[in-house]
């Protein structure tokens, strides 16, 4: 299994499309940081609004921690696209290239090959999210320094002490990876149907958009279904900044997301095991 | 030579969207055979090979390799099998060596040894391009790499789908020699498909012909091709005169007059007498060409499709 995974990772990271995501991250994040630097503290002031008049805020709140949240907030709609670019190519790409005929005639079960591919897909997804974390926090620390955490989400103003930063952000990014794995699994499933990666990418984005619309429209007809849509729980990482942490809602969201990933993986496995390879 | 059956298909059949493309196919390949699997384009050769290598599920029947049922015991059945199906495709963005590592590690469960890869690439004449990305390879080079990849894990049975497709005459000759070498020197059983009768005739010991998914004939190449030499084409002038004479001959029966001459069915022993009679009556005999009935049959088959 280790050998299988090694070569699946090797294939994934030897492909140029794998780096599109990293490239985007490496261009967009410095750009946003540079823009924020020019803007200065105005951004935070707008966020805090009139509250500033009522509270005495000390220290530097316009720091790496704030920046990283801003970037996460604005990127988590686009990251799924970058993920499906690679995840949607995992099976379809081999079909397009005709390389299934090279690997699936060998005495290794299709299930093992599929699982290795799935693991490689999850690892890629995690590596992309971690790249965002390292870029935004690392570059943020260099350009803006550290400080207390100004929590941007939620109705009320929350400020967390600097000492909690590492733990809170580790939790936030871990949750982000967990939710992005659903996107990866979805693209992976679509990838097993076709012989071209464009289909899986478009289908994945289509499903996400439809789910997002249903998740975010507060129409009573959709109300009963909302808790079961993965898009409702995709922003679970924001809950890492609640004070106090609400572990039960985090666990519930993770449960729904995990169930999605598992179901999608099992569906892919069922399809792939008996699929006629005609490419 | 032992007659252990290494590959057997039993009532194998497959449909694509309700259209039968392989029908009740019973093949037997014995150890040490170079088995030629002959058929015109679209006959169902690749479809059969896909079923043998577990890329597609048969609609009917089953495949046994080394006595193992492919469906029930896939990994055991395929453990010492390798091959190429349809055109040779690889990870174009990786080098030949990397492609060999990926393919080989699936059989060996570890990365194949560098020396072993070098030997196989050397056998097909790709040593000096081993480190280049396959994207830069010509079709013929990919075809060779396909064979190298198949040889990597010391298989006992190699299945090659039209391995000379797209090669130049020199390359075709090299592949035929390699196949011969593998079978005679290394004792590897080779199953190879082709749409060229003369290719199969040159390398194969046993053969099967399929057309439109149906098995036409199966047996030893010698028996099928050479025992049938009682039809000859007599190239003779003037043809009209010769025709009258031949029609009168008791020992010969004229089948038809063709472009190349008069097609005659005659016992081989009687050919000298026939030639003598023709010459005596003033005809000029340019050639007496023994004809393989299978060849004519195969040609008419390819002409139809
Ligand atoms: N993916 C597919 N979908 C539908 N029909 C197919 C498919 N692949 C092959 N066929 C049909 O199955 C039949 C057999 O095809 P196959 O590729 O097995 O022939 P072949 O003997 O290998 O021919 P060739 O010498 O051209 O390689 C053909 O009639 C072909 O049209
Ligand atoms: Mg074919």
């Amino acid at each position: 299994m280790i050998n299988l995974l090694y070569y699946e990772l090797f294939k994934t990271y030897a492909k140029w499309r794998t780096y599109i995501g990293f490239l985007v991250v490496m261009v967009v994040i410095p750009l946003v940081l540079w823009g924020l630097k020019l803007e200065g503290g105005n951004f935070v002031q707008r966020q805090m609004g009139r509250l500033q008049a009522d509270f005495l805020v000390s220290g530097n709140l316009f720091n790496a921690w704030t920046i990283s949240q801003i970037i996460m907030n604005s990127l988590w709609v686009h990251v799924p696209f970058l993920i499906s670019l690679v995840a949607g190519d995992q099976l379809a790409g081999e079909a397009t290239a005709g390389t299934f005929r090279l690997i699936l005639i060998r005495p290794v079960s299709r299930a093992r090959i599929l699982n290795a591919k799935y693991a490689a897909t999850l690892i890629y997804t995690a590596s992309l999210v971690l790249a965002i974390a390292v870029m935004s926090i690392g570059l943020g620390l260099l350009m803006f320094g550290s400080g207390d955490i100004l929590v941007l989400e939620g109705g009320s103003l929350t400020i967390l002490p600097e000492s909690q930063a590492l733990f809170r952000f580790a939790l936030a990014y871990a949750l982000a990876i967990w939710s992005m794995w659903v996107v990866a699994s979805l693209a992976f499933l679509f990838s097993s149907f076709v012989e071209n990666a464009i289909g899986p990418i478009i289908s994945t984005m289509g499903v996400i958009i439809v789910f997002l619309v249903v998740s975010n429209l507060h129409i009573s007809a959709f109300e009963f279904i909302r808790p079961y849509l993965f898009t409702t729980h995709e922003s679970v990482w924001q809950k890492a900044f609640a004070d106090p942490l609400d572990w039960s809602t985090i666990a519930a969201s993770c449960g729904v997301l995990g169930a999605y990933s598992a179901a999608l993986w099992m569906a892919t496995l069922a399809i792939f095991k008996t699929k006629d390879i005609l490419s | 030579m032992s007659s252990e059956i290494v590959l057997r298909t039993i009532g194998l059949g497959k449909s694509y969207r309700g259209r039968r493309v392989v029908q009740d196919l019973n093949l037997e390949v014995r150890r040490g055979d170079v088995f030629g699997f002959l058929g015109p384009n679209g006959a169902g050769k690749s479809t059969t090979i896909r079923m043998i290598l577990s890329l597609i599920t048969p609609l009917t029947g089953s495949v046994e390799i080394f006595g193992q049922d492919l469906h029930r015991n896939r990994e055991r059945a395929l453990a010492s099998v390798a091959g190429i199906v349809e055109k040779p495709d690889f990870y174009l963005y990786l080098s030949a060596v990397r492609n060999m590592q990926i393919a080989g590690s699936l059989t060996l469960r570890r990365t194949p040894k560098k020396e072993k890869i070098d030997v196989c690439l050397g056998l097909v004449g790709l040593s000096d391009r081993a480190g280049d990305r396959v994207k830069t390879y010509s079709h013929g080079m990919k075809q060779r790499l396909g064979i190298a990849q198949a040889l990597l894990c010391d298989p006992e049975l190699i299945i090659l789908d039209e391995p000379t497709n797209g090669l130049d005459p020199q390359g075709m000759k090299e592949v035929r020699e390699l196949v011969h070498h593998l079978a005679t020197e290394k004792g590897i059983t080779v199953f190879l498909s082709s749409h060229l009768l003369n290719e199969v005739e040159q390398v194969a010991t046993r053969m099967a012909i399929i057309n439109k998914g149906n098995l036409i004939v199966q047996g030893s190449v010698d028996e099928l091709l050479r025992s049938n030499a009682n039809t000859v084409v007599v190239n003779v002038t003037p043809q009209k005169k010769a025709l009258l004479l031949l029609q009168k001959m008791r020992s010969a029966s004229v089948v038809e007059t063709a472009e190349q001459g008069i097609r005659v069915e005659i016992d081989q022993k009687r050919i000298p007498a026939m030639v003598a009679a023709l010459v005596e009556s003033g005809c000029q005999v340019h050639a007496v060409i023994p004809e393989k009935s299978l060849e004519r049959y195969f040609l008419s088959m390819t002409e139809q499709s």
Side-chain angles (χ1 to χ4, degrees):
Chain A
M1 192 66 200
I2 295 295
N3 204 274
L4 265 178
L5 178 60
Y6 169 78
Y7 280 110
E8 284 308 328
L9 284 172
F10 187 92
K11 283 190 271 182
T12 304
Y13 285 94
K15 248 184 288 187
W16 133 253
R17 75 161 62 215
T18 302
Y19 295 94
I20 295 175
F22 293 104
L23 220 69
V24 168
V25 166
M26 282 197 311
V27 170
V28 167
I29 292 179
L31 208 68
V32 172
L33 259 58
W34 179 68
L36 287 172
K37 187 91 186 165
L38 290 186
E39 184 115 339
N42 300 342
F43 186 85
V44 179
Q45 245 136 52
R46 271 208 310 277
Q47 286 285 328
M48 292 175 65
R50 57 177 182 79
L51 287 168
Q52 211 167 22
D54 308 331
F55 292 92
L56 188 66
V57 179
S58 65
N60 171 25
L61 279 181
F62 193 51
N63 56 36
W65 313 117
T66 315
I67 306 284
S68 189
Q69 283 178 73
I70 294 169
I71 286 175
M72 269 178 113
N73 263 328
S74 53
L75 272 190
W76 75 270
V77 198
H78 311 97
V79 171
F81 175 74
L82 299 175
I83 289 169
S84 65
L85 218 53
V86 171
D89 190 50
Q90 283 291 359
L91 298 166
E94 300 255 9
T96 314
T99 42
F100 272 144
R101 282 185 277 111
L102 190 66
I103 60 173
L104 295 185
I105 63 172
R106 297 275 171 178
V108 180
S109 74
R110 286 196 190 178
R112 284 162 58 93
I113 289 183
L114 185 102
N115 289 342
K117 281 192 169 296
Y118 185 57
T121 309
L122 297 186
I123 290 172
Y124 160 77
T125 306
S127 71
L128 185 65
V129 175
L130 286 179
I132 296 171
V134 169
M135 278 299 281
S136 64
I137 296 176
L139 213 58
L141 282 174
L142 278 178
M143 288 171 68
F144 299 90
S146 184
D148 286 343
I149 311 163
L150 171 65
V151 178
L152 297 177
E153 281 301 307
S156 61
L157 180 78
T158 314
I159 293 174
L160 298 169
E162 187 181 356
S163 58
Q164 287 190 18
L166 225 54
F167 164 67
R168 296 281 183 162
F169 275 87
L171 180 62
Y173 279 105
L175 292 172
I177 289 173
W178 189 253
S179 76
M180 285 303 122
W181 277 354
V182 179
V183 174
S185 306
L186 190 64
F188 194 69
L189 170 68
F190 288 143
S191 185
S192 72
F193 293 134
V194 290
E195 293 177 7
N196 180 317
I198 303 294
I201 296 166
I202 293 173
S203 313
T204 306
M205 295 317 289
V207 169
I208 291 174
I209 289 166
V210 170
F211 275 38
L212 267 179
V213 167
V214 178
S215 277
N216 293 341
L217 270 181
H218 288 260
I219 294 172
S220 56
F222 295 153
E223 214 57 32
F224 75 100
I225 197 177
R226 282 189 58 230
Y228 305 105
L229 299 175
F230 70 86
T231 39
T232 310
H233 304 277
E234 241 185 346
S235 51
V236 60
W237 61 272
Q238 288 168 347
K239 292 181 187 147
F241 301 109
D243 201 34
L245 277 167
D246 182 356
W247 287 109
S248 67
T249 62
I250 291 179
S253 286
C254 285
V256 172
L257 294 169
Y260 264 98
S261 294
L264 291 165
W265 162 65
M266 284 191 287
T268 315
L269 195 58
I271 290 164
F272 189 68
K273 264 163 79 173
T274 54
K275 186 182 165 61
D276 273 356
I277 304 297
L278 297 169
S279 56
Chain B
M1 201 160 50
S2 86
S3 59
E4 179 202 349
I5 290 171
V6 297
L7 169 65
R8 190 206 303 270
T9 70
I10 304 149
L12 206 58
K14 182 73 186 175
S15 294
Y16 286 132
R17 298 189 198 96
R19 200 168 61 86
R20 259 307 163 94
V21 296
V22 173
Q23 184 108 317
D24 192 30
L25 193 62
N26 296 293
L27 297 176
E28 271 184 12
V29 179
R30 307 204 184 112
R31 191 176 287 276
D33 279 348
V34 174
F35 192 96
F37 190 42
L38 191 62
N41 293 135
K45 302 183 295 294
S46 298
T47 304
T48 304
I49 290 176
R50 278 176 196 268
M51 287 190 276
I52 293 172
L53 290 172
S54 84
L55 287 174
I56 59 179
T57 317
L59 179 70
T60 65
S62 60
V63 175
E64 268 175 27
I65 306 177
F66 300 111
Q68 303 282 344
D69 183 275
L70 180 66
H71 182 68
R72 260 174 284 155
N73 255 334
R74 182 177 175 278
E75 275 155 66
R76 297 255 296 280
L78 292 177
S80 11
V81 183
I84 44 175
V85 187
E86 222 114 32
K87 65 183 166 50
D89 278 316
F90 295 94
Y91 300 101
L92 297 177
Y93 53 94
L94 299 176
S95 71
V97 172
R98 287 284 183 217
N99 274 283
M100 300 270 284
Q101 286 177 338
I102 289 171
S105 70
L106 292 169
T107 297
L108 300 175
R109 309 272 153 121
R110 58 173 169 76
T111 302
K113 293 216 167 65
K114 173 101 179 39
E115 305 84 64
K116 184 78 198 177
I117 293 176
D118 290 344
V119 169
C120 293
L121 287 172
L123 264 178
V124 298
L126 282 176
S127 294
D128 52 332
R129 298 288 299 271
D132 294 2
R133 285 196 296 171
V134 178
K135 185 178 275 180
T136 66
Y137 278 28
S138 72
H139 177 79
M141 292 167 74
K142 284 186 210 162
Q143 194 72 268
R144 287 153 194 261
L145 181 57
I147 296 174
Q149 157 281 132
L151 290 175
L152 187 57
C153 306
D154 299 316
E156 292 173 49
L157 170 64
I158 294 190
I159 294 174
L160 303 172
D161 192 2
E162 305 200 23
T164 57
N165 204 359
L167 297 185
D168 56 25
Q170 177 61 25
M172 286 171 123
K173 185 159 161 279
E174 281 170 23
V175 168
R176 284 199 295 268
E177 283 165 3
L178 183 62
V179 166
H180 185 73
H181 168 79
L182 294 174
T184 54
E185 308 291 315
K186 307 224 161 162
I188 300 173
T189 308
V190 183
F191 178 103
L192 99 173
S193 78
S194 176
H195 57 258
L196 304 172
L197 179 68
N198 78 342
E199 180 172 276
V200 167
E201 197 183 342
Q202 284 180 59
V203 297
T205 55
R206 282 167 48 79
M207 66 185 284
I209 299 184
I210 68 163
N211 189 29
K212 305 206 172 96
N214 291 294
L215 183 67
I216 307 296
V217 64
Q218 173 171 225
S220 125
V221 172
D222 280 335
E223 277 167 29
L224 291 177
L225 291 181
R226 309 206 209 287
S227 67
N228 263 319
N230 55 358
T231 304
V232 292
V233 176
V234 186
N235 189 335
V236 59
T237 48
Q239 224 187 40
K240 275 201 186 115
K241 190 173 171 188
L243 189 60
L244 284 171
L245 196 69
L246 285 168
Q247 277 164 345
K248 271 184 247 160
M249 257 182 231
R250 196 87 52 77
S251 57
S253 69
V254 175
V255 181
E256 59 176 332
T257 48
E259 209 179 308
Q260 318 93 296
I262 305 166
R263 187 168 280 130
V264 178
E265 234 168 67
I266 186 169
D267 191 333
Q268 269 185 314
K269 289 183 212 118
R270 309 235 176 217
I271 291 175
M274 173 190 75
V275 174
L278 286 169
V279 173
E280 254 168 50
S281 64
C283 295
Q284 282 184 299
V285 180
H286 303 282
V288 178
I289 310 153
E291 189 173 76
K292 298 147 192 169
S293 59
L294 214 52
E295 180 166 359
R296 200 144 56 85
Y297 181 75
F298 186 70
L299 278 178
S300 67
M301 214 159 72
T302 25
E303 274 155 16
Q304 278 166 27
S305 53

